[in-house]
Amino acid sequence: MKILRIEAIPYSIPYNHALKFASGQVTDAEHVLVRIHTDEGIVGEADAPPRPYTYGETQASIITIIESIFAPQIIGLDPFDRGKIHEIMARTIHNQVAKGALDIALWDLMGKALGTPVHKLLGGYTDSMRVSHMLGFRPAQELLDEALRFGEQYGITTFKLKVGRRPLTLDIEACHVLRAGLGDEVELYLDANRGWSANEAMEVLRRTEGLGLTALEEPCDAKEAMSRRRLVENSPIPIVGDESVPTAGDVSRELLSGGSNAICIKTARSGFTEATEILGLCTGLGVDVTMGNQIDTQVGSLATVTFGAAHEATTRRAGELSNFLDMADDLLADPIRISGGRISVRNVPGVGAGIDEAKLARYRQN
C-alpha cells in the first residue's frame, strides 16, 4: 500500500458565542481537515485546529506546510512506515498541529487497513472517558448557571475554569461562587493560559485555599523560569504544563527544570505517536497527566477519547472533551453523545470519525 495524495481542506464553522480566555478569543472554528489517500482506496482523516496566539500556526500555514513541504516527500511511501514519515516531518521545526494531524490520519488509515479500532492498537485500556467541561470568561453567576446546566443535561461533574483575568478578584469570586453552588463533590481546576505572573498566581492560590481546587494550568509564562519554579515549589496543588510542553523534549525540560509537576497532553498538537512518548515519559517519572482540548471539533474530540481511553494513566482524570458543544455545527456524520458524564470510543476500524460530506461541502473555504 502506498500513499497516493494528501489533502488539506480548510473549513470554518461558527461558535455559538465567542470563546474568551487569557491568550485570546475565537469566534469561528477555522480548521483544516487532513486526508491521506492510498492506492488501495483507504483514506485516513484528522482535524487540525490552528491556534495562532498559542503555537503560531494558522489555517493558511498548516495548508502550506502540508501541501508544499510534507506531501511531496511523503507521497509514495507506505503509510505503515511511520518512522520514515516522522523523520521527514522532524526536519521542519515547529508546526506541531500540522504534524499531529498527519500522524492521527496515519493511525486512522492503519486502523482501517487492519480492520481494528485505533484505541485498541494504542492500548485498549477501556472504552470511554469521563468528561471535563471548560468554563470561559463570564460573570460568576453565568458560569455557575452553565455548570449546573451541563451537570444536569450531560452528567458532567468536572469543570475547568479559565482564569488569568485582572483584577484577580474576578477569578477569585468565580472560584468561590462555583464551589458554593456546585458543592464539594464536583471537581474544579484552573487554567490561566499564561495570563498572570507567578506572584499573582500565588495570591490567587492563597485566596482560594480551602476550595478544593485540584490543579492550576499554565499560571504564567514558563519562560519566567525562576519565578515559575518558585511557584511550583510552593503551590499546594499541581502546576500543569500545557502551552509550554507541545513536544516530548519540552516536557523533559519543564519537568527537569521544575517548571511543572503535571503535564497536559493534547493529541491535536502531538498526534498519537508523540503523545505516546510524552505519556511514557510522565508515567516513568510518576507525573500526573491530563487529556486537554484545543477547542476541538467532534472530530478532534474523538481523537482525544481514542488516545485517552487506550491507557490507564490518561483515564485517571476527566478529559477535556466537550468544547464542541459550543459550536453551531460539526463535520461528524454520527455525532458524539455525552451520557452519564462520559464519551465512548468508536468500536469501528480506525478512529471512527466519519465525515458528513454535505456538511464539509457547506463549510469548506475553497
Side-chain angles (χ1 to χ4, degrees), residues 259-292:
S260 299
N261 53 9
I263 297 296
C264 176
I265 298 174
K266 290 182 177 176
T267 57
R269 66 180 179 217
S270 65
F272 294 156
T273 300
E274 189 157 30
T276 302
E277 296 173 4
I278 292 170
L279 178 60
L281 176 63
C282 291
T283 54
L285 292 171
V287 173
D288 285 351
V289 298
T290 64
M291 291 305 302

Coordinates of all heavy atoms in Angstrom, one line a residue, residues 259-292:
G259 N 9.7 23.5 36.3 CA 8.7 24.4 35.8 C 7.3 23.9 35.8 O 6.3 24.7 35.7
S260 N 7.1 22.6 35.9 CA 5.8 22.0 36.0 C 5.9 20.7 36.8 O 7.0 20.1 36.8 CB 5.2 21.7 34.6 OG 5.0 22.8 33.9
N261 N 4.9 20.2 37.4 CA 4.9 18.9 38.0 C 3.7 18.1 37.6 O 3.3 17.1 38.3 CB 5.0 19.0 39.5 CG 4.0 19.9 40.2 OD1 3.0 20.3 39.6 ND2 4.2 20.1 41.5
A262 N 3.0 18.5 36.5 CA 2.0 17.7 35.9 C 1.9 18.2 34.4 O 2.4 19.3 34.1 CB 0.6 17.8 36.6
I263 N 1.4 17.3 33.5 CA 1.5 17.6 32.1 C 0.2 17.4 31.4 O -0.5 16.4 31.7 CB 2.6 16.7 31.4 CG1 4.0 17.0 32.0 CG2 2.5 16.9 29.9 CD1 4.5 18.4 31.7
C264 N -0.2 18.4 30.6 CA -1.4 18.2 29.7 C -1.0 17.7 28.4 O -0.1 18.3 27.7 CB -2.1 19.6 29.6 SG -3.5 19.6 28.5
I265 N -1.6 16.6 28.0 CA -1.4 16.0 26.6 C -2.5 16.4 25.7 O -3.7 16.3 26.1 CB -1.3 14.5 26.7 CG1 -0.1 14.0 27.6 CG2 -1.1 13.8 25.3 CD1 -0.1 12.5 27.9
K266 N -2.1 16.9 24.5 CA -3.1 17.3 23.5 C -2.8 16.6 22.2 O -1.8 16.9 21.6 CB -3.2 18.8 23.3 CG -3.8 19.5 24.5 CD -3.9 21.0 24.2 CE -4.6 21.7 25.4 NZ -4.6 23.2 25.2
T267 N -3.6 15.7 21.8 CA -3.4 14.9 20.6 C -3.4 15.8 19.4 O -2.7 15.5 18.4 CB -4.4 13.8 20.4 OG1 -5.7 14.3 20.4 CG2 -4.2 12.8 21.5
A268 N -4.1 17.0 19.4 CA -4.1 17.9 18.3 C -2.8 18.4 17.9 O -2.5 18.8 16.8 CB -5.1 19.1 18.6
R269 N -1.8 18.5 18.9 CA -0.5 19.1 18.6 C 0.6 18.0 18.7 O 1.7 18.3 18.3 CB -0.2 20.2 19.6 CG 0.0 19.7 21.0 CD 0.3 20.8 22.0 NE 0.4 20.3 23.4 CZ 0.0 20.9 24.4 NH1 -0.6 22.1 24.3 NH2 0.2 20.4 25.6
S270 N 0.3 16.8 19.1 CA 1.3 15.8 19.3 C 1.0 14.5 18.4 O 1.9 13.7 18.3 CB 1.5 15.4 20.7 OG 0.3 14.8 21.2
G271 N -0.3 14.5 17.9 CA -0.7 13.2 17.3 C -0.7 12.1 18.3 O -0.6 12.4 19.5
F272 N -0.8 10.9 17.9 CA -0.8 9.8 18.8 C 0.6 9.3 19.1 O 0.9 8.8 20.2 CB -1.7 8.6 18.2 CG -3.1 8.9 18.1 CD1 -3.9 8.2 17.1 CD2 -3.8 9.8 18.8 CE1 -5.2 8.4 17.0 CE2 -5.1 10.1 18.7 CZ -5.9 9.4 17.8
T273 N 1.5 9.5 18.1 CA 2.8 8.9 18.3 C 3.6 9.7 19.4 O 4.2 9.1 20.3 CB 3.6 8.9 17.0 OG1 2.9 8.1 16.0 CG2 5.0 8.4 17.1
E274 N 3.7 11.0 19.2 CA 4.4 11.8 20.2 C 3.7 11.8 21.6 O 4.3 11.9 22.6 CB 4.7 13.2 19.8 CG 5.7 13.9 20.7 CD 6.5 15.0 20.1 OE1 5.9 15.6 19.1 OE2 7.6 15.3 20.5
A275 N 2.3 11.7 21.5 CA 1.6 11.7 22.8 C 2.0 10.4 23.5 O 2.0 10.4 24.8 CB 0.1 11.7 22.5
T276 N 2.2 9.3 22.8 CA 2.6 8.1 23.5 C 4.0 8.3 24.1 O 4.3 7.8 25.2 CB 2.7 6.9 22.5 OG1 1.4 6.8 21.9 CG2 3.1 5.6 23.1
E277 N 4.9 9.0 23.4 CA 6.2 9.3 24.0 C 6.1 10.1 25.3 O 6.8 9.9 26.3 CB 7.1 10.0 23.0 CG 7.4 9.1 21.7 CD 8.1 9.9 20.7 OE1 8.5 11.1 20.9 OE2 8.4 9.4 19.6
I278 N 5.3 11.2 25.2 CA 5.1 12.0 26.4 C 4.5 11.3 27.5 O 4.9 11.4 28.7 CB 4.1 13.2 26.0 CG1 4.9 14.1 25.0 CG2 3.7 14.0 27.2 CD1 4.0 15.2 24.4
L279 N 3.5 10.4 27.2 CA 2.8 9.6 28.3 C 3.8 8.7 29.0 O 3.9 8.5 30.2 CB 1.7 8.8 27.7 CG 0.9 7.9 28.7 CD1 0.3 8.8 29.9 CD2 -0.2 7.2 28.0
G280 N 4.7 8.0 28.2 CA 5.7 7.1 28.7 C 6.7 7.9 29.6 O 7.1 7.4 30.7
L281 N 7.1 9.0 29.2 CA 8.0 9.9 30.0 C 7.3 10.2 31.3 O 8.0 10.1 32.4 CB 8.3 11.1 29.2 CG 9.2 12.2 29.9 CD1 10.6 11.6 30.2 CD2 9.4 13.4 29.0
C282 N 6.1 10.6 31.3 CA 5.4 11.0 32.5 C 5.1 9.9 33.5 O 5.4 10.0 34.7 CB 4.1 11.7 32.2 SG 4.3 13.4 31.4
T283 N 4.7 8.8 32.9 CA 4.4 7.6 33.8 C 5.7 7.1 34.4 O 5.7 6.6 35.5 CB 3.6 6.5 33.0 OG1 4.4 6.2 31.8 CG2 2.2 7.0 32.6
G284 N 6.8 7.1 33.6 CA 8.0 6.7 34.1 C 8.5 7.5 35.3 O 9.2 7.0 36.2
L285 N 8.2 8.8 35.3 CA 8.6 9.7 36.3 C 7.6 9.8 37.4 O 7.8 10.6 38.4 CB 8.9 11.1 35.7 CG 10.2 11.1 34.8 CD1 10.2 12.5 34.1 CD2 11.4 10.9 35.6
G286 N 6.4 9.2 37.3 CA 5.4 9.3 38.3 C 4.7 10.7 38.2 O 4.2 11.2 39.3
V287 N 4.6 11.3 37.0 CA 3.9 12.6 36.9 C 2.5 12.4 36.4 O 2.3 11.7 35.4 CB 4.8 13.4 35.9 CG1 4.1 14.7 35.6 CG2 6.2 13.7 36.5
D288 N 1.6 13.1 37.0 CA 0.2 13.1 36.5 C 0.0 13.7 35.2 O 0.7 14.7 34.8 CB -0.7 13.8 37.5 CG -1.0 13.0 38.8 OD1 -0.6 11.8 38.8 OD2 -1.5 13.5 39.7
V289 N -0.9 13.2 34.4 CA -1.2 13.8 33.1 C -2.7 14.1 33.0 O -3.5 13.5 33.7 CB -0.8 12.9 31.9 CG1 0.7 12.6 31.9 CG2 -1.6 11.5 32.0
T290 N -3.1 15.1 32.1 CA -4.5 15.3 31.8 C -4.6 15.2 30.3 O -3.6 15.5 29.6 CB -4.9 16.7 32.3 OG1 -4.2 17.7 31.6 CG2 -4.7 16.8 33.8
M291 N -5.8 14.9 29.8 CA -6.0 15.0 28.3 C -6.7 16.3 28.0 O -7.8 16.6 28.5 CB -6.9 13.8 27.9 CG -6.2 12.5 28.0 SD -4.6 12.4 27.0 CE -5.2 12.8 25.4
G292 N -6.0 17.2 27.3 CA -6.5 18.5 27.1 C -7.3 18.7 25.8 O -7.4 17.7 25.0

